[in-house]
Amino acid sequence: MTCDIIFCGVGGQGGLSVSVVIARAAMASGFLVKQSEIHGMSQRGGEVLAHLRISDKEIFSPTIPKGKADIIFAFEPLEALRHLSWLSVERGTVVAAMTPILNIPNYPDIESVLGEIRKIPRARLIDADTLAKQAGNVRSANLVLVGAAADLLPVPPEAIEKEVVALFSRKGEAMVQANLKAFELGRNIQHA
Amino acid sequence: MAQMVFSGDEAVAQAALDAGVAGAFAYPGTPSTEIMEYLQEHIGEAKGAGSSVARAPDGITRVAQWCSNEKTAYESALGVSFVGKRTMVSMKHVGLNVAMDPFVNSALVRIHGGLVAVVADDPSMHSSQNEQDSRLLADFARMPCFEPSNQQEAYDMTRFAFDYSEAHEVPVLVRITTRLAHARASVTTAPAKPATDLGKTTDAYAWTLMPAMARKQWAGLLAKQAAFRADADAASRLELGSKEFGVITCGLGRAYYMENEEDWAQAHGGERPSRLHIGRYPVGMGKIQALVSHVKRVLVIEEGYPYVERDLRGMFGPPVPVAGKMTGEIPLAGELSADSVRAALGLPRREGVAKVAIEVPGRPPQFCQGCPHADSFTALKKALEGEAEFFSASDIGCYALAAQPPWSAIESCVDMGASVGMARGAASVGQKRAIGVIGDSTFYHSGMTNLLDAVRHRSPMTLLILDNGTTGMTGAQPTISATSQLPILLEGLGVEKEHIRVLEAHRRAIDADVAAIREELAYDGVSVIVMVRECIEWLKKARRS
């Protein structure tokens, strides 16, 4: 069993911390993991990218080969389109948030961006911001997305919840509850 | 024995702690920064500005300190070794250029307490201005170089490097690369060794590189090379398989090769290539000869320059055909990947989901919301409005982002401190309105001596120091000196007091800032404008802790 996951978004969205949550949950569930990210200038409102590889056998490359990703979590819709050459044709699933971050002058028409995502087989386009607000904190949108693909992850939801609690506990109980709720709301979404 | 999840940087740092390091020194630089951050967090309880000091029950003082630059960091490490304690200095690849003088000469002294230099290369230039390969600099210095291929080896090799350094009385360079430094994996650690105290060296002559002693030390270093090669050969791993095809991997190249080996075997009736993995330099001959005499052709997979490949090829050609970066099977520029190695192995490309119908524009990094640099550049641009003649040289830091629209406010970014020297040089031959734009951390790192040149020669230039109180680009590490001390320092360097202007880098002060910049640009001498406001990233970090 191998599950290769790409996390992409825009600097400041917290995409990298979600990859840590899933990595820790996978390890606690007995898997080997390798997680790779690029820091530095990419934090400043630019593209952010992390690769996470989960397997029950030794993992070699720190980054995912092209055409091998099982899941792409895109915390911003345009970013989903940037990394499609990594997505497995046979089994890959894009899980993308709908709300654009318009910090570049040449951002394409958002409807055509969403349209392109809808064309990808199995794509899950999620109104993560709305659900995150319902959960009590718009910054928990990332966990809505993770919840929306919980059925595709090799780790049980309880293991993820445990790591969510561990990661957010120092930010207070309200933050923990909002993120757990966001994860639950994501899991409740029915996919076509 | 403990099982931990470490990035390559963290594995290196933990290895140093477990090897009993007493003095660790660094200047921040992606992808090496987290080594010192980890050390400062774990070396002891006491934490000061930019350093962490701990006095253990064994009476040995341990420090982990940010330094002014890589050269000062390296020299501090030499001092620790001299007095018989273990020491580590860490930096990014271009930092090694700054530390080159102590680095090369340190190979000649008789290292006492183990000295390990960890250098993180950045192939593909994710956050750097070049992709130089530090293995060649170790070779240049005639110094042994260890190159881990995963996080576990980063731990094991760094730990062993301290022993090796003491045994051979030579520094060891541990070379890592971005994808190792910034990727996490499970690492098994071994019990920590107590810090050793060998006492001060009794051989001061071997540390005094005046010609007569230096010649003796150099001869001694050259004599050690055979042992380095023999040890490297013994440590390399040879597995003979196919008689047709052999693969030589170095460092992370092994990971990308192994990712594809199964597919290669399936395409070749279950047979695997013969393979040799090299993790230490200078390379030994034995196993390379054994591989080459076993196969009909060889592929070399190494991150960085074609270093082993070039040696293997030699001037008169290799004994069997060699493929790699020099023949184009693997790209000469950029980092390796599982995909590029796959192509070099002759395996079919894997395709992802087809390209989309719309153009996906890039999303380059930009100034943070509310960044003081943005306000400084707004002021500078306004001050230059209508001026046809100017030269705006800049430096290494977040402010280099001002090269892009909508700012387009700087015209160069070459190396640490170059803004000051370039503006001065241009001014000295008549360039009008020669401006240097540099951050406070970069100024302390390498700008001060350039400013001395400008003062001594009265080169008419204006230096803008964007003082945000931190090393922002690498995640807000404390700078070596406080904002309040900067004007005093500038005065001490000989800048006239009335031409040291301290301004607020804020849009509310824009009119005053523009006026002051214009005044100093008109001055026929050296002027320095300090634009002060805290880094947004630093404020966020301070609020978190």
Side-chain angles (χ1 to χ4, degrees):
Chain A
M1 194 297 306
T2 296
C3 184
D4 288 333
I5 310 171
I6 283 178
F7 300 84
C8 56
V10 176
Q13 283 193 303
L16 299 185
S17 61
V18 176
S19 82
V20 173
V21 164
I22 300 178
R24 286 185 183 159
M27 285 198 337
S29 309
F31 290 105
L32 295 167
V33 299
K34 217 160 228 186
Q35 186 217 7
S36 178
E37 56 198 56
I38 290 295
H39 309 196
M41 294 294 277
S42 54
Q43 294 165 348
R44 316 267 179 268
E47 314 155 24
V48 163
L49 177 64
H51 287 214
L52 174 63
R53 313 194 71 189
I54 303 171
S55 182
D56 51 13
K57 50 185 188 294
E58 187 176 359
I59 303 162
F60 295 107
S61 172
T63 47
I64 300 166
K66 292 224 164 134
K68 290 270 276 179
D70 298 283
I71 308 171
I72 292 180
F73 281 111
F75 304 110
E76 203 279 348
L78 182 64
E79 296 308 310
L81 301 181
R82 199 182 301 285
H83 304 288
L84 290 179
S85 57
W86 269 269
L87 191 68
S88 164
V89 176
E90 303 85 38
R91 57 177 194 282
T93 308
V94 173
V95 185
M98 293 175 77
T99 313
I101 293 183
L102 303 168
N103 65 347
I104 45 172
N106 49 346
Y107 198 103
D109 170 49
I110 181 63
E111 281 314 314
S112 59
V113 170
L114 299 180
E116 287 299 318
I117 296 174
R118 287 194 186 98
K119 276 196 240 163
I120 305 163
R122 297 175 294 277
R124 298 177 179 182
L125 203 49
I126 311 292
D127 187 2
D129 275 13
T130 302
L131 290 173
K133 273 179 212 144
Q134 266 180 45
N137 190 331
V138 72
R139 290 191 59 81
S140 64
N142 296 341
L143 275 151
V144 173
L145 241 56
V146 175
D151 57 316
L152 305 175
L153 295 170
V155 289
E158 299 74 36
I160 292 175
E161 285 168 349
K162 213 173 145 187
E163 298 303 331
V164 169
V165 173
L167 182 73
F168 291 103
S169 58
R170 65 191 171 91
K171 293 186 176 172
E173 185 57 22
M175 194 70 169
V176 172
Q177 287 310 321
N179 278 290
L180 288 175
K181 185 72 186 169
F183 181 57
E184 188 195 324
L185 291 177
R187 286 176 62 201
N188 291 342
I189 298 171
Q190 299 297 313
H191 305 290
Chain B
M1 301 272 272
Q3 186 97 352
M4 308 287 286
V5 175
F6 283 142
S7 69
D9 279 347
E10 291 164 345
V12 161
Q14 185 62 48
L17 293 173
D18 290 349
V21 75
F25 310 96
Y27 182 81
T30 313
S32 71
T33 310
E34 291 84 354
I35 298 172
M36 178 53 67
E37 290 189 325
Y38 185 94
L39 285 167
Q40 293 194 344
E41 211 172 300
H42 292 89
I43 204 162
E45 301 306 316
K47 279 185 193 162
S51 75
S52 185
V53 182
R55 204 177 295 277
D58 56 15
I60 292 177
T61 302
R62 293 169 175 78
V63 297
Q65 296 173 334
W66 292 122
C67 300
S68 295
N69 62 39
E70 293 84 357
K71 179 175 186 284
T72 67
Y74 204 105
E75 286 153 353
S76 298
L78 279 171
V80 174
S81 173
F82 191 98
V83 297
K85 297 186 183 76
R86 291 190 160 187
T87 185
M88 184 164 85
V89 54
S90 53
M91 63 196 75
K92 69 182 296 176
H93 59 331
V94 283
L96 186 56
N97 300 340
V98 176
M100 199 51 125
D101 201 0
F103 171 72
V104 173
N105 292 322
S106 72
L108 271 73
V109 302
R110 185 176 171 185
I111 288 297
H112 192 41
L115 192 158
V116 176
V118 180
V119 184
D121 291 356
D122 189 18
S124 275
M125 303 179 233
H126 295 287
S127 197
S128 303
Q129 62 273 39
N130 77 28
E131 53 178 24
Q132 66 189 54
D133 183 337
S134 297
R135 295 178 302 168
L136 279 84
L137 296 178
D139 187 37
F140 180 61
R142 296 276 183 240
M143 190 185 287
C145 171
F146 294 1
E147 187 184 26
S149 69
N150 57 34
Q151 286 71 12
Q152 182 67 54
E153 283 188 6
Y155 177 83
D156 295 338
M157 280 184 160
T158 304
R159 215 181 140 137
F160 177 64
F162 285 94
D163 297 335
Y164 198 83
S165 170
E166 278 171 13
H168 294 268
E169 301 179 324
V170 70
V172 176
L173 188 153
V174 174
R175 183 230 192 186
I176 57 176
T177 51
T178 304
R179 295 293 182 180
L180 180 64
H182 282 175
R184 288 186 188 82
S186 187
V187 172
T188 305
T189 61
K193 235 184 90 137
T196 46
D197 186 356
L198 305 173
K200 189 180 146 187
T201 180
T202 52
D203 190 4
Y205 268 140
W207 283 77
T208 309
L209 298 177
M210 294 160 73
M213 285 83 100
R215 281 182 208 115
K216 184 165 167 273
Q217 293 303 115
W218 175 236
L221 179 63
L222 293 177
K224 289 176 192 172
Q225 300 299 312
F228 297 161
R229 286 188 188 277
D231 291 344
D233 196 45
S236 62
R237 305 196 293 267
L238 175 65
E239 286 172 63
L240 293 178
S242 166
K243 288 193 168 172
E244 289 294 320
F245 183 42
V247 175
I248 296 177
T249 58
C250 304
L252 208 48
R254 180 174 186 276
Y256 300 125
Y257 164 73
M258 291 302 291
E259 187 72 30
N260 291 295
E261 191 190 59
E262 192 58 46
D263 287 353
W264 195 94
Q266 275 183 21
H268 294 82
E271 192 180 47
R272 279 161 206 279
S274 292
R275 63 174 144 99
L276 173 65
H277 178 71
I278 293 170
R280 285 209 225 162
Y281 312 90
V283 293
M285 290 284 282
K287 285 181 186 153
I288 290 183
Q289 275 171 345
L291 177 80
V292 168
S293 57
H294 183 78
V295 297
K296 296 205 173 71
R297 61 190 178 95
V298 171
L299 172 69
V300 184
I301 305 169
E302 56 191 322
E303 192 77 282
Y305 292 3
Y307 169 50
V308 170
E309 184 186 340
R310 193 180 63 184
D311 267 9
L312 195 59
R313 215 175 274 288
M315 194 172 270
F316 300 104
V320 298
V322 172
K325 293 192 166 197
M326 292 169 81
T327 44
E329 279 80 4
I330 295 177
L332 205 44
E335 65 184 349
L336 297 171
S337 69
D339 302 308
S340 64
V341 169
R342 186 177 179 81
L345 287 165
L347 293 166
R349 262 172 77 106
R350 277 201 211 90
E351 300 290 344
V353 167
K355 281 237 177 293
V356 287
I358 54 172
E359 185 83 16
V360 180
R363 200 190 299 258
Q366 40 195 280
F367 289 124
C368 299
Q369 213 46 265
C371 174
H373 295 340
D375 292 335
S376 294
F377 284 114
T378 303
L380 177 62
K381 281 203 82 166
K382 243 179 146 172
L384 286 171
E385 252 168 29
E387 303 289 3
E389 280 188 64
F390 63 87
F391 169 38
S392 169
S394 193
D395 230 292
I396 310 291
C398 290
Y399 39 90
L401 292 171
Q404 301 164 336
W407 308 100
S408 307
I410 59 162
E411 299 174 287
S412 73
C413 168
V414 180
D415 68 83
M416 297 286 282
S419 64
V420 194
M422 286 177 70
R424 183 197 96 71
S428 71
V429 294
Q431 173 65 47
K432 281 189 188 150
R433 295 178 201 86
I435 306 161
V437 184
I438 192 169
D440 52 329
S441 188
T442 307
F443 178 70
Y444 299 128
H445 180 288
S446 288
M448 295 191 292
T449 43
N450 271 317
L451 188 59
L452 264 179
D453 290 351
V455 168
R456 169 65 180 82
H457 299 291
R458 246 191 101 78
S459 313
M461 67 167 288
T462 300
L463 181 63
L464 256 69
I465 303 180
L466 309 186
D467 186 354
N468 60 1
T470 192
T471 314
M473 195 165 69
T474 48
Q477 291 75 32
T479 39
I480 204 76
S481 183
T483 294
S484 58
Q485 298 299 305
L486 185 51
I488 306 166
L489 179 69
L490 294 168
E491 243 185 278
L493 289 170
V495 183
E496 296 156 281
K497 199 169 181 175
E498 52 276 27
H499 293 287
I500 300 170
R501 308 285 290 265
V502 180
L503 308 176
E504 186 191 17
H506 199 290
R507 65 186 71 172
R508 67 184 165 219
I510 180 97
D511 292 339
D513 290 353
V514 171
I517 295 171
R518 284 209 180 118
E519 281 165 31
E520 296 309 331
L521 285 176
Y523 174 59
D524 188 33
V526 179
S527 56
V528 180
I529 299 167
V530 187
M531 305 291 297
V532 184
R533 187 152 67 84
E534 287 138 326
C535 168
I536 296 291
E537 188 72 17
W538 181 83
L539 280 175
K540 270 195 233 161
K541 202 172 167 180
R543 225 175 288 143
R544 276 199 300 267
S545 58

